[in-house]
Coordinates of all heavy atoms in Angstrom, one line a residue:
M3 N -4.5 -7.8 7.0 CA -3.1 -7.9 6.7 C -2.9 -8.4 5.3 O -3.7 -9.3 4.9 CB -2.5 -8.9 7.8 CG -1.1 -9.0 7.6 SD -0.2 -10.1 8.8 CE -1.1 -9.9 10.2
K4 N -2.0 -7.7 4.6 CA -1.7 -8.0 3.2 C -0.5 -8.9 3.1 O 0.4 -8.8 3.9 CB -1.6 -6.8 2.4 CG -2.7 -6.0 2.3 CD -4.0 -6.6 1.8 CE -3.9 -6.9 0.2 NZ -5.0 -7.5 -0.4
Q5 N -0.4 -9.7 2.1 CA 0.7 -10.5 1.8 C 1.6 -9.8 0.7 O 1.1 -9.3 -0.2 CB 0.4 -11.9 1.4 CG 1.6 -12.8 1.1 CD 1.2 -14.2 0.7 OE1 0.1 -14.5 0.3 NE2 2.2 -15.1 0.8
Y6 N 2.9 -9.9 0.9 CA 3.9 -9.4 -0.1 C 3.9 -10.4 -1.2 O 4.0 -11.6 -1.0 CB 5.2 -9.2 0.5 CG 6.3 -8.9 -0.4 CD1 6.5 -7.6 -0.9 CD2 7.2 -9.9 -0.8 CE1 7.5 -7.4 -1.8 CE2 8.3 -9.6 -1.6 CZ 8.4 -8.3 -2.2 OH 9.4 -8.1 -3.0
P7 N 3.9 -10.0 -2.5 CA 3.9 -8.6 -3.0 C 2.4 -8.0 -2.9 O 1.5 -8.7 -3.1 CB 4.4 -8.7 -4.4 CG 4.0 -10.1 -4.8 CD 4.1 -10.9 -3.6
V8 N 2.3 -6.7 -2.6 CA 1.1 -6.1 -2.4 C 0.6 -5.6 -3.8 O 1.3 -5.0 -4.6 CB 1.2 -4.9 -1.4 CG1 0.0 -4.2 -1.3 CG2 1.8 -5.3 -0.1
Y9 N -0.7 -5.7 -4.0 CA -1.4 -5.2 -5.2 C -2.3 -4.1 -4.8 O -3.1 -4.2 -3.8 CB -2.2 -6.3 -5.9 CG -3.0 -5.7 -7.1 CD1 -2.4 -5.3 -8.2 CD2 -4.4 -5.6 -6.9 CE1 -3.2 -4.8 -9.2 CE2 -5.2 -5.0 -7.9 CZ -4.6 -4.6 -9.1 OH -5.3 -4.0 -10.1
V10 N -2.2 -2.9 -5.4 CA -3.1 -1.8 -5.1 C -3.8 -1.5 -6.3 O -3.3 -1.1 -7.3 CB -2.2 -0.6 -4.7 CG1 -3.1 0.6 -4.3 CG2 -1.3 -0.9 -3.5
A11 N -5.1 -1.7 -6.2 CA -6.0 -1.4 -7.3 C -6.2 0.1 -7.6 O -6.3 0.9 -6.7 CB -7.4 -2.0 -7.1
G12 N -6.2 0.4 -8.8 CA -6.4 1.8 -9.2 C -7.9 2.0 -9.4 O -8.8 1.2 -9.3
A13 N -8.2 3.3 -9.5 CA -9.6 3.7 -9.6 C -10.1 3.6 -11.1 O -9.3 3.6 -12.0 CB -9.8 5.2 -9.2
S14 N -11.4 3.4 -11.3 CA -11.8 3.2 -12.6 C -13.1 4.1 -12.8 O -13.9 4.2 -11.9 CB -12.2 1.8 -13.0 OG -13.2 1.3 -12.2
Y15 N -13.3 4.6 -14.0 CA -14.4 5.4 -14.3 C -14.7 5.2 -15.8 O -13.8 5.3 -16.7 CB -14.2 6.9 -14.1 CG -15.3 7.8 -14.5 CD1 -16.5 7.7 -13.8 CD2 -15.3 8.5 -15.6 CE1 -17.6 8.4 -14.2 CE2 -16.3 9.3 -16.0 CZ -17.5 9.3 -15.3 OH -18.6 10.1 -15.7
R16 N -15.9 4.8 -16.2 CA -16.3 4.5 -17.6 C -17.2 5.4 -18.1 O -17.7 5.2 -19.2 CB -16.8 3.0 -17.6 CG -15.7 2.0 -17.2 CD -16.3 0.6 -17.2 NE -16.9 0.3 -18.5 CZ -17.2 -0.9 -18.9 NH1 -17.0 -1.9 -18.1 NH2 -17.8 -1.1 -20.1
G17 N -17.5 6.5 -17.4 CA -18.5 7.5 -17.9 C -17.9 8.5 -18.9 O -16.7 8.4 -19.3
A18 N -18.7 9.4 -19.2 CA -18.2 10.4 -20.2 C -17.7 11.7 -19.6 O -17.2 12.6 -20.4 CB -19.4 10.7 -21.2
D19 N -17.8 11.9 -18.3 CA -17.4 13.1 -17.7 C -15.9 13.3 -17.7 O -15.2 12.4 -17.0 CB -18.0 13.2 -16.3 CG -17.7 14.5 -15.6 OD1 -16.7 15.2 -15.9 OD2 -18.6 14.9 -14.7
P20 N -15.3 14.2 -18.3 CA -13.9 14.3 -18.4 C -13.2 14.6 -17.1 O -12.1 14.2 -16.8 CB -13.5 15.4 -19.4 CG -14.9 16.1 -19.6 CD -16.0 15.2 -19.2
K21 N -13.9 15.3 -16.2 CA -13.3 15.7 -14.9 C -13.2 14.4 -14.1 O -12.2 14.1 -13.3 CB -14.1 16.7 -14.2 CG -13.9 18.1 -14.8 CD -14.6 19.2 -14.0 CE -14.4 20.5 -14.6 NZ -15.0 21.6 -13.8
K22 N -14.3 13.6 -14.1 CA -14.3 12.3 -13.3 C -13.2 11.4 -13.9 O -12.6 10.6 -13.1 CB -15.7 11.7 -13.2 CG -16.7 12.5 -12.4 CD -18.0 11.8 -12.4 CE -19.0 12.6 -11.6 NZ -20.3 12.0 -11.7
R23 N -13.1 11.3 -15.2 CA -12.1 10.5 -15.8 C -10.7 10.9 -15.4 O -9.9 10.0 -15.1 CB -12.3 10.5 -17.3 CG -11.4 9.4 -18.0 CD -11.5 9.4 -19.5 NE -12.9 9.4 -20.0 CZ -13.4 10.4 -20.7 NH1 -12.6 11.4 -21.1 NH2 -14.7 10.4 -21.1
Q24 N -10.5 12.2 -15.4 CA -9.2 12.7 -15.0 C -8.8 12.3 -13.6 O -7.8 12.0 -13.2 CB -9.1 14.1 -15.3 CG -7.7 14.8 -15.0 CD -7.7 16.3 -15.4 OE1 -8.7 16.9 -15.3 NE2 -6.5 16.8 -15.6
K25 N -9.8 12.5 -12.7 CA -9.7 12.3 -11.3 C -9.3 10.7 -11.1 O -8.5 10.4 -10.4 CB -10.9 12.5 -10.5 CG -10.8 12.3 -9.0 CD -12.0 12.6 -8.3 CE -11.9 12.3 -6.8 NZ -13.2 12.5 -6.1
A26 N -10.1 9.8 -11.8 CA -9.8 8.4 -11.7 C -8.4 8.0 -12.2 O -7.7 7.2 -11.6 CB -10.8 7.6 -12.5
Q27 N -8.0 8.7 -13.2 CA -6.6 8.5 -13.8 C -5.5 8.9 -12.8 O -4.5 8.2 -12.7 CB -6.5 9.2 -15.2 CG -7.3 8.6 -16.3 CD -7.3 9.4 -17.6 OE1 -6.9 10.6 -17.5 NE2 -7.6 8.8 -18.7
H28 N -5.8 10.1 -12.2 CA -4.8 10.5 -11.2 C -4.8 9.5 -10.1 O -3.7 9.2 -9.6 CB -5.2 11.9 -10.7 CG -4.3 12.4 -9.6 ND1 -3.0 12.7 -9.8 CD2 -4.6 12.6 -8.3 CE1 -2.5 13.1 -8.6 NE2 -3.4 13.0 -7.7
E29 N -5.8 9.1 -9.6 CA -5.9 8.2 -8.5 C -5.3 6.8 -8.8 O -4.5 6.2 -8.0 CB -7.3 7.9 -7.9 CG -7.9 9.1 -7.2 CD -9.3 8.9 -6.6 OE1 -9.7 7.7 -6.6 OE2 -9.9 9.9 -6.2
S30 N -5.4 6.4 -10.0 CA -4.7 5.2 -10.5 C -3.3 5.3 -10.5 O -2.5 4.4 -10.2 CB -5.3 4.8 -11.9 OG -6.6 4.4 -11.8
R31 N -2.8 6.5 -11.0 CA -1.3 6.7 -11.0 C -0.7 6.7 -9.6 O 0.3 6.1 -9.3 CB -1.0 8.1 -11.7 CG -1.1 8.0 -13.2 CD -0.6 9.2 -13.8 NE -1.3 10.5 -13.5 CZ -2.4 10.9 -14.1 NH1 -2.8 10.3 -15.2 NH2 -3.0 12.1 -13.7
V32 N -1.5 7.4 -8.6 CA -1.1 7.4 -7.2 C -1.1 5.9 -6.7 O -0.2 5.6 -5.9 CB -1.9 8.3 -6.4 CG1 -1.6 8.2 -4.9 CG2 -1.8 9.8 -6.9
A33 N -2.1 5.2 -7.0 CA -2.2 3.8 -6.5 C -0.9 3.0 -7.0 O -0.4 2.2 -6.3 CB -3.5 3.2 -7.0
A34 N -0.5 3.2 -8.2 CA 0.5 2.5 -8.8 C 1.8 2.9 -8.1 O 2.7 2.1 -7.8 CB 0.7 2.8 -10.3
R35 N 2.0 4.2 -7.7 CA 3.2 4.7 -7.0 C 3.2 4.2 -5.6 O 4.3 3.8 -5.1 CB 3.2 6.2 -7.0 CG 3.5 6.7 -8.4 CD 3.5 8.2 -8.5 NE 4.6 8.8 -7.7 CZ 4.6 9.9 -7.2 NH1 3.5 10.7 -7.3 NH2 5.6 10.4 -6.5
I36 N 2.0 4.0 -4.9 CA 1.9 3.5 -3.6 C 2.4 2.0 -3.7 O 3.1 1.5 -2.8 CB 0.5 3.6 -3.0 CG1 0.2 5.0 -2.8 CG2 0.4 2.7 -1.8 CD1 -1.2 5.3 -2.4
Q37 N 1.8 1.3 -4.6 CA 2.1 -0.2 -4.9 C 3.7 -0.4 -5.0 O 4.3 -1.2 -4.3 CB 1.4 -0.7 -6.0 CG 1.8 -2.2 -6.3 CD 1.0 -2.8 -7.5 OE1 -0.3 -2.7 -7.4 NE2 1.7 -3.2 -8.4
E38 N 4.3 0.4 -5.8 CA 5.7 0.4 -6.1 C 6.5 0.7 -4.7 O 7.4 -0.1 -4.4 CB 6.1 1.3 -7.2 CG 7.6 1.3 -7.4 CD 8.0 2.3 -8.5 OE1 7.2 3.2 -8.9 OE2 9.2 2.2 -9.0
Y39 N 6.1 1.7 -4.0 CA 6.7 2.0 -2.8 C 6.6 0.9 -1.8 O 7.7 0.5 -1.1 CB 6.2 3.3 -2.2 CG 6.8 3.7 -0.9 CD1 8.0 4.4 -0.9 CD2 6.2 3.4 0.3 CE1 8.6 4.7 0.3 CE2 6.8 3.7 1.5 CZ 8.1 4.5 1.5 OH 8.6 4.7 2.6
L40 N 5.4 0.4 -1.6 CA 5.2 -0.6 -0.6 C 6.0 -1.9 -0.9 O 6.8 -2.4 0.0 CB 3.7 -1.0 -0.5 CG 2.8 0.0 0.1 CD1 1.4 -0.5 0.0 CD2 3.1 0.4 1.5
N41 N 6.0 -2.3 -2.1 CA 6.7 -3.5 -2.5 C 8.2 -3.3 -2.4 O 9.0 -4.2 -2.0 CB 6.3 -4.0 -3.9 CG 4.9 -4.6 -3.9 OD1 4.6 -5.2 -2.9 ND2 4.1 -4.3 -4.9
N42 N 8.8 -2.1 -2.8 CA 10.2 -1.9 -2.6 C 10.6 -1.9 -1.2 O 11.7 -2.4 -0.8 CB 10.6 -0.6 -3.3 CG 10.6 -0.5 -4.8 OD1 10.6 -1.6 -5.4 ND2 10.4 0.6 -5.4
E43 N 9.7 -1.3 -0.3 CA 10.1 -1.3 1.2 C 10.1 -2.7 1.8 O 11.0 -3.1 2.5 CB 9.1 -0.4 1.9 CG 9.4 1.0 1.6 CD 10.8 1.6 2.0 OE1 11.2 1.3 3.2 OE2 11.5 2.1 1.1
V44 N 9.0 -3.5 1.4 CA 8.9 -4.8 2.0 C 10.0 -5.8 1.4 O 10.4 -6.6 2.1 CB 7.5 -5.4 1.8 CG1 7.4 -6.8 2.3 CG2 6.5 -4.5 2.5
A45 N 10.4 -5.5 0.2 CA 11.5 -6.3 -0.4 C 12.7 -6.2 0.5 O 13.6 -7.2 0.5 CB 11.8 -5.9 -1.8
K46 N 13.0 -5.1 1.2 CA 14.1 -5.0 2.1 C 14.1 -5.8 3.3 O 15.1 -6.0 4.0 CB 14.3 -3.5 2.4 CG 14.6 -2.6 1.2 CD 14.5 -1.1 1.7 CE 14.5 -0.1 0.5 NZ 14.4 1.2 1.0
W47 N 12.8 -6.2 3.7 CA 12.7 -7.0 5.0 C 13.2 -8.4 4.8 O 13.3 -8.9 3.7 CB 11.2 -7.1 5.4 CG 10.5 -5.7 5.6 CD1 11.1 -4.5 5.7 CD2 9.1 -5.6 5.9 NE1 10.1 -3.6 6.0 CE2 8.9 -4.2 6.1 CE3 8.0 -6.4 5.9 CZ2 7.7 -3.7 6.3 CZ3 6.8 -5.9 6.2 CH2 6.6 -4.5 6.4
S48 N 13.5 -9.0 5.9 CA 13.9 -10.4 5.8 C 12.7 -11.3 5.5 O 11.6 -10.9 5.8 CB 14.6 -10.8 7.2 OG 13.6 -10.7 8.2
D49 N 13.0 -12.5 5.1 CA 11.9 -13.5 4.8 C 11.2 -13.8 6.1 O 11.7 -13.8 7.2 CB 12.5 -14.7 4.2 CG 13.0 -14.4 2.7 OD1 12.6 -13.5 2.0 OD2 13.8 -15.2 2.3
D50 N 9.9 -14.1 5.9 CA 9.0 -14.6 7.0 C 9.0 -13.5 8.1 O 9.3 -13.7 9.3 CB 9.5 -15.9 7.6 CG 9.5 -17.0 6.6 OD1 8.7 -17.0 5.7 OD2 10.4 -17.9 6.6
S51 N 8.7 -12.2 7.7 CA 8.6 -11.2 8.6 C 7.2 -10.4 8.5 O 6.6 -10.6 7.4 CB 9.7 -10.2 8.5 OG 9.8 -9.6 7.3
V52 N 6.9 -9.6 9.4 CA 5.6 -8.9 9.3 C 5.9 -7.4 9.9 O 6.8 -7.3 10.8 CB 4.5 -9.5 10.1 CG1 4.8 -9.6 11.6 CG2 3.2 -8.8 10.0
G53 N 5.3 -6.5 9.3 CA 5.6 -5.0 9.7 C 4.4 -4.2 9.3 O 3.5 -4.6 8.5
S54 N 4.5 -3.0 9.7 CA 3.5 -1.9 9.3 C 4.1 -0.8 8.6 O 5.3 -0.5 8.9 CB 2.7 -1.4 10.6 OG 2.1 -2.5 11.2
I55 N 3.4 -0.3 7.6 CA 3.9 0.9 7.0 C 2.8 2.0 7.1 O 1.6 1.7 6.7 CB 4.2 0.6 5.5 CG1 5.3 -0.4 5.4 CG2 4.6 1.9 4.8 CD1 5.7 -0.8 4.0
L56 N 3.1 3.1 7.6 CA 2.2 4.2 7.8 C 1.9 5.0 6.6 O 2.8 5.3 5.8 CB 2.6 5.1 8.9 CG 2.9 4.3 10.3 CD1 3.5 5.3 11.3 CD2 1.7 3.7 10.8
S57 N 0.6 5.3 6.4 CA 0.2 6.1 5.2 C 0.8 7.4 5.1 O 1.1 7.9 4.0 CB -1.3 6.2 5.1 OG -1.9 6.8 6.2
Y58 N 1.0 8.1 6.2 CA 1.6 9.5 6.1 C 3.0 9.4 5.7 O 3.5 10.3 5.0 CB 1.4 10.3 7.4 CG 2.4 10.0 8.5 CD1 3.6 10.6 8.6 CD2 2.1 9.0 9.4 CE1 4.5 10.3 9.6 CE2 3.0 8.6 10.4 CZ 4.2 9.3 10.5 OH 5.1 9.0 11.5
K59 N 3.7 8.3 6.0 CA 5.1 8.2 5.6 C 5.1 7.9 4.1 O 6.0 8.4 3.3 CB 5.8 7.1 6.3 CG 6.2 7.5 7.8 CD 7.0 6.4 8.4 CE 7.4 6.8 9.8 NZ 8.3 5.9 10.5
V60 N 4.2 7.1 3.6 CA 4.2 6.8 2.1 C 3.9 8.1 1.4 O 4.5 8.4 0.4 CB 3.1 5.8 1.8 CG1 2.9 5.6 0.4 CG2 3.4 4.4 2.5
A61 N 2.9 8.9 1.9 CA 2.6 10.2 1.3 C 3.8 11.1 1.1 O 4.0 11.6 0.1 CB 1.4 10.8 2.0
A62 N 4.5 11.2 2.2 CA 5.7 12.0 2.2 C 6.7 11.5 1.3 O 7.4 12.3 0.6 CB 6.3 12.1 3.7
A63 N 6.9 10.2 1.3 CA 7.9 9.6 0.4 C 7.6 9.8 -1.1 O 8.6 9.9 -1.9 CB 8.1 8.1 0.7
I64 N 6.4 9.7 -1.4 CA 6.1 9.8 -2.8 C 5.6 11.2 -3.3 O 5.3 11.4 -4.4 CB 5.0 8.7 -3.3 CG1 3.7 8.9 -2.7 CG2 5.5 7.3 -3.1 CD1 2.5 8.1 -3.2
G65 N 5.4 12.1 -2.3 CA 5.1 13.4 -2.6 C 3.7 13.6 -3.0 O 3.4 14.5 -3.9
E66 N 2.7 12.9 -2.4 CA 1.3 13.0 -2.7 C 0.5 13.4 -1.5 O 1.0 13.4 -0.3 CB 0.8 11.7 -3.2 CG 1.3 11.3 -4.6 CD 0.8 12.2 -5.7 OE1 -0.2 12.9 -5.5 OE2 1.3 12.3 -6.8
D67 N -0.7 13.9 -1.7 CA -1.6 14.3 -0.7 C -1.8 13.1 0.3 O -2.2 12.1 -0.1 CB -3.0 14.8 -1.4 CG -4.0 15.1 -0.3 OD1 -3.8 16.1 0.5 OD2 -5.1 14.5 -0.2
S68 N -1.7 13.5 1.6 CA -1.8 12.5 2.6 C -3.2 11.9 2.7 O -3.4 10.7 2.9 CB -1.5 13.1 4.0 OG -1.5 12.2 5.0
A69 N -4.3 12.7 2.5 CA -5.6 12.2 2.6 C -5.9 11.2 1.5 O -6.5 10.1 1.6 CB -6.7 13.3 2.5
L70 N -5.4 11.5 0.2 CA -5.6 10.6 -0.9 C -4.9 9.3 -0.7 O -5.4 8.2 -0.9 CB -5.1 11.2 -2.2 CG -5.2 10.3 -3.5 CD1 -6.6 9.8 -3.7 CD2 -4.6 11.1 -4.6
V71 N -3.6 9.3 -0.2 CA -2.8 8.1 0.0 C -3.4 7.3 1.1 O -3.5 6.1 1.0 CB -1.3 8.5 0.4 CG1 -0.6 7.3 0.9 CG2 -0.6 9.2 -0.7
H72 N -3.9 8.0 2.2 CA -4.6 7.3 3.3 C -5.8 6.5 2.8 O -6.0 5.3 3.1 CB -5.0 8.2 4.4 CG -5.7 7.6 5.5 ND1 -5.1 6.8 6.5 CD2 -7.0 7.6 5.8 CE1 -6.0 6.3 7.3 NE2 -7.2 6.8 6.9
R73 N -6.6 7.2 2.0 CA -7.9 6.6 1.4 C -7.5 5.4 0.5 O -8.2 4.3 0.6 CB -8.7 7.6 0.6 CG -10.1 7.0 0.2 CD -10.9 8.1 -0.4 NE -10.6 8.2 -1.9 CZ -10.1 9.3 -2.4 NH1 -10.0 10.4 -1.7 NH2 -9.8 9.3 -3.6
I74 N -6.5 5.5 -0.3 CA -6.1 4.3 -1.2 C -5.6 3.2 -0.3 O -6.0 2.0 -0.5 CB -5.1 4.8 -2.2 CG1 -5.8 5.8 -3.2 CG2 -4.5 3.6 -3.0 CD1 -4.8 6.4 -4.1
M75 N -4.7 3.5 0.6 CA -4.1 2.4 1.5 C -5.2 1.8 2.4 O -5.2 0.6 2.6 CB -3.0 3.0 2.4 CG -1.8 3.3 1.5 SD -0.4 3.9 2.5 CE -0.1 2.4 3.5
F76 N -6.2 2.5 2.8 CA -7.3 2.0 3.6 C -8.1 0.9 2.8 O -8.5 -0.1 3.2 CB -8.2 3.0 4.1 CG -9.3 2.6 5.1 CD1 -9.0 2.4 6.4 CD2 -10.5 2.3 4.6 CE1 -9.9 1.9 7.3 CE2 -11.5 1.8 5.5 CZ -11.2 1.7 6.8
G77 N -8.1 1.2 1.5 CA -8.8 0.3 0.5 C -8.1 -1.0 0.3 O -8.7 -2.0 -0.3
I78 N -6.8 -1.1 0.7 CA -6.1 -2.3 0.4 C -6.0 -3.1 1.7 O -4.9 -3.8 2.0 CB -4.7 -2.1 -0.2 CG1 -3.9 -1.2 0.7 CG2 -4.8 -1.5 -1.6 CD1 -2.3 -1.2 0.3
D79 N -7.0 -3.0 2.6 CA -7.0 -3.7 3.9 C -6.1 -3.0 4.9 O -5.5 -3.7 5.7 CB -6.5 -5.2 3.7 CG -7.0 -6.1 4.8 OD1 -8.0 -5.7 5.5 OD2 -6.4 -7.1 5.0
G80 N -6.0 -1.7 4.8 CA -5.3 -0.9 5.7 C -6.1 -0.6 7.0 O -7.4 -0.8 6.9
G81 N -5.5 -0.1 8.0 CA -6.2 0.3 9.2 C -6.3 1.8 9.2 O -6.2 2.5 8.2
A82 N -6.5 2.3 10.4 CA -6.6 3.8 10.6 C -5.4 4.6 10.1 O -5.6 5.7 9.6 CB -7.0 4.1 12.0
N83 N -4.2 4.1 10.3 CA -3.1 4.8 10.0 C -2.1 4.2 9.0 O -1.1 4.9 8.6 CB -2.3 5.1 11.2 CG -3.0 6.0 12.2 OD1 -3.6 7.0 11.8 ND2 -3.1 5.6 13.5
G84 N -2.4 3.0 8.5 CA -1.4 2.4 7.6 C -1.9 1.0 7.3 O -3.1 0.6 7.4
V85 N -0.9 0.2 6.8 CA -1.2 -1.1 6.4 C -0.2 -2.1 7.1 O 1.0 -1.7 7.2 CB -1.3 -1.3 4.9 CG1 0.1 -1.0 4.3 CG2 -1.8 -2.7 4.5
T86 N -0.6 -3.3 7.4 CA 0.3 -4.3 7.9 C 0.5 -5.3 6.8 O -0.5 -5.8 6.2 CB -0.3 -5.0 9.2 OG1 -0.5 -4.0 10.2 CG2 0.7 -6.0 9.8
I87 N 1.7 -5.7 6.6 CA 2.1 -6.6 5.5 C 3.0 -7.7 6.1 O 3.9 -7.4 6.9 CB 2.9 -5.9 4.4 CG1 2.0 -4.7 3.9 CG2 3.3 -6.8 3.3 CD1 2.8 -3.7 3.0
Y88 N 2.7 -9.0 5.6 CA 3.7 -10.0 5.9 C 4.4 -10.6 4.7 O 3.8 -10.5 3.6 CB 3.0 -11.2 6.7 CG 2.0 -12.0 5.9 CD1 2.5 -13.2 5.4 CD2 0.7 -11.7 5.8 CE1 1.7 -14.0 4.7 CE2 -0.1 -12.5 5.1 CZ 0.3 -13.7 4.5 OH -0.5 -14.5 3.8
K89 N 5.6 -11.0 4.8 CA 6.4 -11.4 3.8 C 6.8 -12.9 4.1 O 7.3 -13.2 5.2 CB 7.7 -10.6 3.7 CG 8.6 -11.0 2.6 CD 9.8 -10.1 2.6 CE 10.8 -10.5 1.4 NZ 12.0 -9.6 1.4
G90 N 6.5 -13.8 3.1 CA 6.9 -15.1 3.4 C 5.8 -16.0 4.0 O 4.6 -15.7 3.8
D91 N 6.2 -16.9 4.8 CA 5.3 -17.9 5.5 C 4.5 -17.1 6.6 O 5.2 -16.5 7.5 CB 6.0 -19.1 6.0 CG 5.1 -20.0 6.7 OD1 4.5 -20.8 6.0 OD2 5.1 -20.0 8.0
Y92 N 3.2 -17.2 6.6 CA 2.4 -16.5 7.6 C 2.8 -16.9 9.0 O 2.9 -16.1 9.9 CB 0.9 -16.6 7.3 CG 0.0 -16.0 8.3 CD1 -0.2 -14.6 8.2 CD2 -0.6 -16.7 9.3 CE1 -1.0 -14.0 9.1 CE2 -1.5 -16.1 10.2 CZ -1.6 -14.7 10.1 OH -2.4 -14.1 11.0
E93 N 2.8 -18.2 9.3 CA 3.0 -18.7 10.7 C 4.4 -18.3 11.2 O 4.5 -17.8 12.3 CB 2.9 -20.2 10.7 CG 1.5 -20.8 10.4 CD 0.5 -20.3 11.4 OE1 0.8 -20.2 12.6 OE2 -0.6 -20.0 11.0
R94 N 5.4 -18.4 10.4 CA 6.7 -17.9 10.8 C 6.8 -16.4 10.9 O 7.5 -15.9 11.9 CB 7.8 -18.4 9.9 CG 8.1 -20.0 10.0 CD 9.2 -20.5 9.2 NE 9.2 -20.1 7.8 CZ 8.9 -21.0 6.9 NH1 8.7 -22.3 7.2 NH2 9.0 -20.7 5.6
A95 N 6.1 -15.7 10.1 CA 6.1 -14.2 10.1 C 5.4 -13.8 11.4 O 5.9 -12.7 11.9 CB 5.4 -13.7 8.9
M96 N 4.4 -14.5 11.8 CA 3.7 -14.0 13.1 C 4.5 -14.3 14.4 O 4.1 -13.9 15.4 CB 2.4 -14.7 13.2 CG 1.4 -14.2 12.0 SD 1.3 -12.4 11.9 CE 0.5 -12.0 13.4
N97 N 5.6 -15.0 14.3 CA 6.5 -15.2 15.4 C 7.0 -13.9 15.9 O 7.6 -13.2 15.0 CB 7.6 -16.2 15.0 CG 8.5 -16.6 16.2 OD1 8.6 -15.8 17.2 ND2 9.1 -17.8 16.1
P98 N 7.0 -13.5 17.2 CA 7.4 -12.2 17.6 C 8.8 -11.8 17.2 O 9.0 -10.6 17.1 CB 7.2 -12.2 19.1 CG 6.2 -13.3 19.3 CD 6.4 -14.3 18.2
K99 N 9.7 -12.7 17.1 CA 11.1 -12.3 16.8 C 11.2 -11.9 15.3 O 12.2 -11.4 14.9 CB 12.0 -13.5 17.1 CG 11.9 -14.7 16.2 CD 12.9 -15.7 16.5 CE 12.7 -16.8 15.5 NZ 13.8 -17.8 15.6
N100 N 10.2 -12.1 14.5 CA 10.3 -11.7 13.0 C 9.6 -10.4 12.7 O 9.3 -10.2 11.6 CB 9.8 -12.9 12.2 CG 10.5 -14.2 12.3 OD1 11.8 -14.1 12.5 ND2 9.9 -15.3 12.2
R101 N 9.3 -9.6 13.6 CA 8.7 -8.3 13.4 C 9.5 -7.3 12.7 O 10.7 -7.1 13.1 CB 8.1 -7.8 14.7 CG 7.1 -8.7 15.4 CD 5.8 -8.8 14.6 NE 5.0 -9.9 15.0 CZ 4.0 -9.8 15.7 NH1 3.5 -8.7 16.2 NH2 3.2 -10.9 16.0
A102 N 9.0 -6.7 11.7 CA 9.8 -5.6 11.0 C 8.8 -4.4 11.0 O 7.6 -4.5 10.9 CB 10.1 -6.0 9.6
S103 N 9.4 -3.2 11.2 CA 8.6 -2.0 11.1 C 9.4 -0.9 10.4 O 10.6 -1.0 10.4 CB 8.2 -1.5 12.5 OG 7.2 -2.4 13.0
E104 N 8.6 0.0 9.8 CA 9.3 1.1 9.2 C 9.3 2.2 10.2 O 8.5 2.4 11.0 CB 8.5 1.5 8.0 CG 9.1 2.7 7.3 CD 8.4 3.1 6.0 OE1 8.2 2.3 5.1 OE2 7.8 4.2 6.0

């Protein structure tokens, strides 16, 4: 489970292969778009809440390949289909009445 605001790390490549460098740059751009989308969505939630955002919905919203988005989101502590994020105080967020979902 991730805490808001969410940080999504980009890919890095320090070698000389231009194709691998281009792929890493593309993945970093997608990671930045995922980060922006997740943080914008969670910002709409009430304080001290928890919810899940599915990777296929993120992929559709940002217009990127679903498999790539899923792989990047899995790397930020996501599960099989998305990521669970809490906003505010963890204990209060875990109270069942504070659940938010997309």
Side-chain angles (χ1 to χ4, degrees):
M3 184 177 320
K4 298 302 288 182
Q5 181 178 15
Y6 170 79
V8 177
Y9 172 73
V10 181
S14 64
Y15 176 73
R16 295 176 55 167
D19 187 328
K21 287 185 180 182
K22 289 181 181 178
R23 186 178 316 115
Q24 184 178 25
K25 180 180 176 185
Q27 289 171 343
H28 174 69
E29 288 184 14
S30 291
R31 285 190 297 273
V32 173
R35 292 179 63 208
I36 292 170
Q37 177 178 304
E38 179 181 13
Y39 178 82
L40 293 175
N41 287 323
N42 287 339
E43 289 300 306
V44 177
K46 299 174 189 174
W47 297 355
S48 62
D49 290 338
D50 303 326
S51 60
V52 62
S54 297
I55 300 179
L56 301 175
S57 59
Y58 80 89
K59 287 187 177 184
V60 175
I64 66 172
E66 288 292 341
D67 177 60
S68 185
L70 175 60
V71 171
H72 177 74
R73 189 175 79 242
I74 292 170
M75 287 183 63
F76 187 81
I78 60 167
D79 200 21
N83 294 313
V85 64
T86 302
I87 303 168
Y88 72 94
K89 180 180 179 183
D91 181 78
Y92 178 78
E93 294 299 322
R94 288 191 301 258
M96 293 308 293
N97 186 333
K99 70 177 184 171
N100 295 328
R101 300 291 164 102
S103 287
E104 183 179 295

